[in-house]
Amino acid sequence: INKSRVTVVGSGNWGSVAAKLIASNTLKLANFHDEVRMWVYEEVLPSGDKLSEENVKYLPGIKLGNNVVAVPDLEHAVRDANMLVFVTPHQFMEGICKRISGKIREDVEAISLIKGMEVKREGPCMISSLITEHLGVNCCVLMGANIANEIAVEKFSEATVGYKENREIAEKWVRLFNTPYFMVSAVQDVAGVELCGTLKNVVALAAGFVDGLEMGNNTKAAIMRIGLREMKAFSKLLFSSVKDSTFFESCGVADLITTCLGGRNRKCAEAFARNGGKRSFDELEAEMLQGQKLQGVSTAKEVYEVLSHRGWLELFPLFATVHEICIGSLPPTSIVEYSQS
Ligand code: NAD
Ligand code: 13P
């Protein structure tokens, strides 16, 4: 049989866990080569540890599997693979696509685990579309209530694969990721799944502000409800194909809940509000996340650009307020004053 070869592009906190999940399955599934290459953005680690055995910086204490091979050369990492899994912070993806364009196999299928988007002059561009445009490949997405450190220690969670047309490809991705502790299902709504994963990071910042201001659980729940409503309305305005049912999948309400309870965006936003907005997100990210990256602050800016460009600011008071708080035009307390709708 023609066995598939998988490469994971990215090796941060979630990237490393994704490689671990996949590598546990390629050993068991006959249609996949055992080896999983993982592109590692080269950084000087003081210890000299081998990242393929353990990612000492982004996922310390967890063995990824002997069949995960860390490859620092991006072109070398991707050139033999026919299944590419993209999982880097979203701001690096355009550069990565440009570097590998024309250097991958013709039969490549891609999947993006990346929560974020780019805003171009023509309008917003989801990361899966960026991949399709630059590389000329079909791209599914996988999103869900997936705090990486919990999955790393094999606590049960669920995830959603979004696909465009080809159910068979989606099922192949499901087989590659699914384990007894990571239950994956597929829905035909790539835009809905990806927008859920992207937009909930903006709501998580709002939830973090509420935590930092010690406003309590009712306020936080209210902010999450308003946020979910804006997520749905924004997604449907951008893509009329987005399905209501997607918001009830793991990628929707479940991811919103876990991120607003335990995510990095929430954590840094809490610290931001506690400091009355006097310390910037860049500073807090560097200090609190040790190299891991926040996606919510840039996503809030990107969403704001879309809203102002299309004249939709008044329709999305929570999204707009989060960005204005992040850039210091409004104080953190305005999260409840201006978000009501
Ligand atoms: P991360 O936050 O750990 O980011 C650090 C990674 O970025 C490291 O691999 C680092 O080497 C790399 N990096 C730094 N500078 C770079 C550069 N100039 N070019 C390329 N790479 C560079 O990453 P992550 O947690 O794996 O997140 C990746 C994506 O997955 C994000 O979109 C995130 O929203 C999403 N996600 C994360 C989690 C989670 O719990 N961590 C869960 C679900 C989804
Ligand atoms: P944070 O980036 O806020 O940690 O969210 C992680 C996540 O996407 C969980 O599904």
Side-chain angles (χ1 to χ4, degrees):
I1 45 171
N2 231 343
K3 291 187 175 200
S4 294
R5 284 186 188 275
V6 187
T7 287
V8 177
V9 177
S11 57
N13 188 228
W14 182 218
S16 303
V17 178
K20 174 182 186 281
L21 275 172
I22 291 169
S24 73
N25 277 336
T26 56
L27 287 180
K28 293 182 200 139
L29 299 169
N31 327 3
F32 295 90
H33 278 278
D34 288 355
E35 182 185 288
V36 175
R37 289 189 189 166
M38 178 176 78
W39 174 60
V40 180
Y41 174 74
E42 217 160 7
E43 291 177 75
V44 183
L45 292 180
S47 60
D49 282 303
K50 222 175 127 196
L51 283 173
S52 54
E53 282 165 10
E54 183 181 324
N55 188 338
V56 289
K57 180 162 178 190
Y58 295 104
L59 192 67
I62 304 289
K63 297 278 179 256
L64 301 185
N66 291 333
N67 53 328
V68 176
V69 178
V71 182
D73 179 330
L74 179 57
E75 285 179 33
H76 176 67
V78 298
R79 77 173 169 218
D80 299 324
N82 63 328
M83 295 183 83
L84 290 179
V85 177
F86 290 97
V87 52
T88 68
H90 79 276
Q91 58 270 36
F92 304 129
M93 269 312 292
E94 186 150 29
I96 289 171
C97 283
K98 285 185 178 151
R99 281 174 61 193
I100 62 174
S101 167
K103 295 177 178 136
I104 58 172
R105 278 170 56 166
E106 285 196 345
D107 58 347
V108 160
E109 283 290 335
I111 194 164
S112 169
L113 277 51
I114 300 166
K115 295 173 176 172
M117 63 190 201
E118 292 280 321
V119 178
K120 312 256 174 216
R121 207 173 302 158
E122 318 83 75
C125 175
M126 302 310 295
I127 300 300
S128 65
S129 310
L130 189 86
I131 291 168
T132 296
E133 277 164 29
H134 280 274
L135 305 179
V137 299
N138 178 50
C139 189
C140 291
V141 296
L142 181 145
M143 310 272 145
N146 298 147
I147 290 186
N149 291 335
E150 297 177 16
I151 300 167
V153 291
E154 307 190 357
K155 291 181 176 167
F156 176 77
S157 70
E158 299 178 309
T160 317
V161 163
Y163 67 98
K164 278 194 202 92
E165 277 135 31
N166 192 335
R167 174 96 206 170
E168 258 172 57
I169 297 294
E171 280 167 3
K172 195 167 176 189
W173 287 118
V174 169
R175 281 196 295 282
L176 186 62
F177 280 94
N178 196 66
T179 74
Y181 64 89
F182 192 69
M183 225 168 82
V184 188
S185 51
V187 300
Q188 189 175 11
D189 184 6
V190 70
V193 173
E194 194 169 11
L195 276 159
C196 277
T198 299
L199 297 171
K200 62 85 194 172
N201 283 335
V202 180
V203 187
L205 292 174
F209 297 147
V210 166
D211 284 345
L213 298 167
E214 297 181 16
M215 300 179 91
N217 293 329
N218 293 340
T219 307
K220 191 161 160 183
I223 289 295
M224 286 163 70
R225 185 198 72 83
I226 295 166
L228 182 61
R229 203 176 56 181
E230 292 195 8
M231 283 166 59
K232 186 166 145 227
F234 185 79
S235 303
K236 291 189 150 219
L237 273 175
L238 280 189
F239 297 95
S240 56
S241 62
V242 167
K243 296 177 180 162
D244 283 356
S245 55
T246 300
F247 295 85
F248 292 95
E249 299 289 341
S250 177
C251 63
V253 70
D255 195 11
L256 177 70
I257 293 171
T258 201
T259 310
C260 288
L261 297 182
R264 301 167 298 185
N265 286 287
R266 188 220 65 85
K267 182 174 161 180
C268 292
E270 179 184 32
F272 182 89
R274 273 196 204 289
N275 288 291
K278 292 195 181 67
R279 297 191 62 203
S280 72
F281 270 103
D282 281 348
E283 215 182 320
L284 293 167
E285 178 188 65
E287 185 180 296
M288 300 176 78
L289 301 185
Q290 284 99 35
Q292 292 183 37
K293 301 285 179 200
L294 286 179
Q295 303 283 264
V297 178
S298 46
T299 303
K301 176 169 181 280
E302 284 143 10
V303 168
Y304 194 92
E305 280 171 33
V306 176
L307 297 181
S308 39
H309 190 249
R310 303 206 173 183
W312 294 346
L313 275 171
E314 282 174 13
L315 298 175
F316 297 93
L318 184 135
F319 286 168
T321 304
V322 168
H323 174 63
E324 284 166 6
I325 294 172
C326 288
I327 60 169
S329 332
L330 288 174
T333 46
S334 52
I335 194 62
V336 286
E337 291 157 30
Y338 293 97
S339 294
Q340 295 162 22
S341 57

